[in-house]
């Protein structure tokens, strides 16, 4: 707790905004969850419920140990050595996630806005900005996210309204055309990629000033993101139909259809600037959580020391992890959901089970008065 | 070694030179008038504006008047002090001459002025004379009387010159501190309005007043402002801007953290919102803190006009402040990188206009923006007689001729002039400076990275704004952090009866009770 620095308290509303922006960041830019073509909205529904489950799990865990981060909880109930291992695992998870966020971001910016600029230059600019932001602390990031959230709502709303002429609701039919398998595959992507990534917030929950309501906030944020995802999913299906799943950036492609009175055409770069804001928030959070998790693992007092090295490593990783953008997208669609299962489910479940047994062992004589 | 000695010798001599006439804090006034006069002559040596006037009270007791010419109303001095004292008959004070209470008798019965004060220390005498009071010393007494007979030429209360409103009071602050406090007091007839007087500046000894409304003010801010002003080490305070720079939190931020205004009604409304105002003698600009981002975008009419119009105009102002910040950089980004976003017909005409221009859009924008800043600076400095010349040169040569010669394109001239006009819609001059400064890095970023650069620049500004605080109040309050109560008066304003004149900004206080 001492290592949190000065700007170290955020309200529940700020946590809500931060999580929403964090989740929406990859929702809109990645083609995840479209395995079932025009049935993907069912994937989104199922995936959202699964995401609520995953997030409920660690929110409950954090509630049992107020003012403790996931790494500190692991230290507490699994002992120092296994705790260190868990800490490193989560530092790695956030770090790896950050690399993918940056890679996806630079790829997309390069494809959409600046085709002739080397991607590493875009990455350097972004990393410099996020490291600078992360040194200011969680408070500044989450306040930024409040403003960014406003932009997201406005741009999504305007985008959807302007797309109405291009919408074709009959694209939804026939329902369940591709069978349940594809739908569940898509649901798995939704649950693990955008919604499950919020496990990094288990490192940030101790910053929240009123821990009592954190569970509600987390579930609310996931529910709201699921809602937003559902809206964009419907829009994409209405506009693009079956090809929604085959696009590299489905939402972006949809926005390309906007045309108002032959005057406002091709305004998707404006929407894209809002996504830059999203990715910026997401990368800042990854950077911060990696540093915090690492600092807590090695019991270091100040996590800010590690921000710059972590930022540079993220930059490095993002450049050589994959040979091409298609490779990244394929990896995120097929490997990432499986890869993230231990981080999202196994370890938190393990922690929860051990903590339940520990608690029982410790208070064997007391009547069971645990909060539900 | 030798150098060192020399240096120490020099500083010694300076020390001796200075120490001689300067009175120590405890030096008492001599009761002999002759001695006192010699001492004061010594203090005020080579000061031609200090007047020593000897006379005798009722033809019996010698007395001395000291004052500074030009700070005192000589006519009033004659009427209220000289004439009554000189002409007072023997009988009227024969009963009291032996009495040691003679001084208080003078004070009570003979001097017909409002402000009268008794002092006995040389250093106090020095101070009071320099403040512009008239000192009356009487032979045989070790006490003097300081009488306030303010006069001399001062600027009268005029219309505000930098902050105009269609509706609202027409007075503005002047250089005289007492006039300024009176302008505020006229609008708040409450004993809860407090004026805390201070003196700052080792040499200038400038008078200052910290104004606040007891019970509404944010105590933490008040304490902080006071302690920062006391910790200030300045030789002279010539303008309130110097105080601002001494006590603001982030001196290198482009954004101002104080409201700077010459309108009493703005100060009063700031005080009613719980802010603390700082008035400085010699400056018609009053500081007030804590301020938020939204506060800088508000003008008096926002409250004086009816709610629908007020909100509309506030939106216009917000839109134009964004134009002032972003238009040139967006133009550069779109014409350089993202031509597809420009509607086709518009793109064609822009391309046609830019055809003969030898510079890339980035260079063109920088040239025009710098020129515009130069024109603006020239406009502020130029003597009134040559104003016509500059506007002709600026308008015709830089505008039309440059376009006709093909050095800059016409759309760029339009963009730059629109930006210039937009920056004047920001009601606070010091706030519009921030937008002027930030425009340039944004143009550079747009020229290098296009829209990506602009978003990166905007993000950096956003992060800075989220971090910035004015005396502990977050700059973006009530948007980040969110306060529903505060949102009643940020981007939009709710009807006036729901505001209760206590819109926002200072935070954690309930309605006018003054508790918590």
């Amino acid at each position: 707790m001492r290592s949190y620095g000065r700007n170290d308290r955020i309200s529940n509303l700020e946590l809500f905004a931060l999580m929403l922006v964090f989740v929406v960041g990859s929702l809109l830019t990645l083609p995840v969850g479209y395995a079932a073509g025009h049935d993907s909205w069912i994937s989104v529904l199922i995936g959202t419920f699964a995401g609520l489950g995953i997030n409920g799990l660690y929110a409950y865990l954090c509630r049992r140990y107020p003012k403790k981060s996931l790494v500190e909880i692991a230290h507490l109930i699994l002992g120092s050595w296994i705790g260190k291992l868990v800490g490193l695992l989560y530092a790695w998870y956030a770090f790896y996630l950050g690399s993918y966020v940056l890679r996806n971001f630079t790829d997309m910016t390069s494809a959409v806005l600046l085709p002739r600029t080397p991607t590493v230059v875009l990455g350097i600019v972004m990393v410099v900005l996020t490291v600078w932001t992360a040194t200011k602390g969680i408070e500044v990031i989450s306040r930024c996210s409040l403003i960014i959230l406003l932009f997201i709502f406005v741009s999504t709303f305007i985008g959807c309204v302007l797309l109405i002429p291009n919408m074709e609701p009959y694209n939804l039919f026939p329902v369940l055309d591709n069978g349940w398998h594809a739908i569940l595959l898509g649901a798995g992507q939704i649950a693990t990629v955008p919604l499950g990534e919020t496990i990094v917030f288990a490192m940030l929950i101790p910053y929240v000033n009123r821990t009592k309501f954190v569970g509600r906030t987390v579930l609310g944020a996931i529910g709201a993101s699921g809602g937003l995802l559902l809206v964009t999913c419907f829009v994409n299906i209405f506009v693009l139909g079956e090809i929604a799943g085959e696009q590299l950036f489905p939402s972006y492609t949809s926005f390309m259809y906007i045309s108002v009175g032959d005057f406002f055409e091709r305004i998707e770069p404006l929407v894209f600037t809002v996504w830059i804001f999203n990715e910026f928030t997401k990368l800042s959070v990854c950077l911060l959580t990696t540093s915090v998790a690492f600092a807590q693992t090695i019991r270091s007092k100040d996590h800010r020391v590690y921000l710059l090295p972590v930022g540079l490593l993220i930059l490095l990783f993002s450049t050589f992890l994959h040979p091409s953008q298609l490779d990244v997208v394929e990896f995120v669609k097929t490997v990432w959901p499986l890869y993230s299962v231990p981080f999202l489910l196994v370890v938190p479940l393990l922690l929860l089970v051990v903590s339940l047994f520990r608690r029982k062992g410790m208070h064997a004589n007391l009547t069971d008065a645990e909060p539900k | 070694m030798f150098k060192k000695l020399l240096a120490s010798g020099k500083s010694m001599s300076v020390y001796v030179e200075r120490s001689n006439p300067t009175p120590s804090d405890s030096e008492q006034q001599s009761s002999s008038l002759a001695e006192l006069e010699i001492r004061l002559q010594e203090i005020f040596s080579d000061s031609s504006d200090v007047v020593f006037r000897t006379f005798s009270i009722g033809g019996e007791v010698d007395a001395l008047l000291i004052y500074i010419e030009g700070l005192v109303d000589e006519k009033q001095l004659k009427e209220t002090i000289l004439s009554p004292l000189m002409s007072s008959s023997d009988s009227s004070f024969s009963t009291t001459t032996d009495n040691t209470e003679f001084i208080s008798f003078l004070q009570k019965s003979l001097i017909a002025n409002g402000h009268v004060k008794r002092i006995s220390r040389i250093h106090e005498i020095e101070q009071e004379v320099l403040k512009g009071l008239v000192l009356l010393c009487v032979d045989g007494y070790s006490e003097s009387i300081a009488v306030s007979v303010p006069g001399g030429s001062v600027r009268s209360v005029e219309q505000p010159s930098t902050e105009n409103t269609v509706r609202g009071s027409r007075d503005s602050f002047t250089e005289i501190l007492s006039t300024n406090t009176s302008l505020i007091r006229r609008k708040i007839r409450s004993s809860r309005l407090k004026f805390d007087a201070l003196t700052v500046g080792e040499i200038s000894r400038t008078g200052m007043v910290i104004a606040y409304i007891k019970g509404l003010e944010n105590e933490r801010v008040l304490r902080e402002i006071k302690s920062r002003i006391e910790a200030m080490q300045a030789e002279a305070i010539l303008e309130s801007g110097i105080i601002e720079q001494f006590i603001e939190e982030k001196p290198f931020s482009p954004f101002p953290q104080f409201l700077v205004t010459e309108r009493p009604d703005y100060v009063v409304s700031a005080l009613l919102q719980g802010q603390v105002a700082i008035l400085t003698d010699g400056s018609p600009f009053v500081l007030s803190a804590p301020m938020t981002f939204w506060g800088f975008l508000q003008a008096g009419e926002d409250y004086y006009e009816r709610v629908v119009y007020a909100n509309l105009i506030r939106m216009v102002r917000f839109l134009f402040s964004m134009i002032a910040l972003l238009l040139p950089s967006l133009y550069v980004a779109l014409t350089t990188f993202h031509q597809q976003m420009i509607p086709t017909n518009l793109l064609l005409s822009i391309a046609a206009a830019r055809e003969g221009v030898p510079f890339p859009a980035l260079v063109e924008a920088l040239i025009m923006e710098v020129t515009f800043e130069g024109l603006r600076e020239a406009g502020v400095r130029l003597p009134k007689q040559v104003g016509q010349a500059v506007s002709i040169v600026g308008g015709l040569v830089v505008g039309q001729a440059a376009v006709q010669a093909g050095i800059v394109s016409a759309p760029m001239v339009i963009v730059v002039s629109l930006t210039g006009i937009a920056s004047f819609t920001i009601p606070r001059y010091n706030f519009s400076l921030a937008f002027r400064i930030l425009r340039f890095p944004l143009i550079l970023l747009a020229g290098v990275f296009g829209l990506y650069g602009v978003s990166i620049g905007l993000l950096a500004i956003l992060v800075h704004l989220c971090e910035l605080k004015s005396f502990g109040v977050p700059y973006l309050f009530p948007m980040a952090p969110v306060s529903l109560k505060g949102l009643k008066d940020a981007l939009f304003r709710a009807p006036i009866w729901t505001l209760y004149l206590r819109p926002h900004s200072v935070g954690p206080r309930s309605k006018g009770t003054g508790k918590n």
Side-chain angles (χ1 to χ4, degrees), chain A residues 13-14 105 109 113-114 121-122 125-126 129 132-133 136 139-140 143-144 263 266 269-270 273 276-277 280, chain B residues 337-338 340-341 343-344 449-452 455-456 458-460 462-464 466-467 469 474 476 479-482:
Chain A
L13 185 67
E14 284 163 353
F105 171 71
T109 312
L113 288 185
L114 298 166
V121 176
L122 305 176
V125 174
M126 196 61 170
L129 183 66
W132 177 67
T133 309
K136 314 237 173 256
E139 193 182 84
V140 170
R143 284 187 183 161
C144 286
F263 187 74
R266 305 294 309 277
L270 276 186
T273 53
I276 296 178
F277 294 175
F280 154 80
Chain B
F337 291 94
H338 318 292
Q340 84 271 23
M341 283 178 69
T344 317
F449 290 118
L451 265 183
Y452 177 66
S455 345
I456 292 290
L458 278 181
L459 275 174
L462 179 64
V463 169
H464 175 70
C466 284
E467 181 201 21
K469 283 179 179 153
L476 284 180
M479 295 284 268
V482 173

Side-chain angles (χ1 to χ4, degrees), chain B residues 355-368:
Chain B
E355 205 184 0
V357 176
F359 307 110
L362 169 66
V363 177
E364 204 188 346
L366 283 178
I367 290 175
M368 285 308 287

Side-chain angles (χ1 to χ4, degrees), chain B residues 33-52:
Chain B
L33 192 62
E35 265 178 48
L36 178 67
E37 189 177 349
I38 290 168
R39 178 74 183 108
L40 290 175
Q41 293 270 18
E42 189 180 68
I43 292 172
F44 293 117
S45 62
D46 298 333
S47 311
S48 60
D49 58 336
V50 180
V51 178
F52 287 80

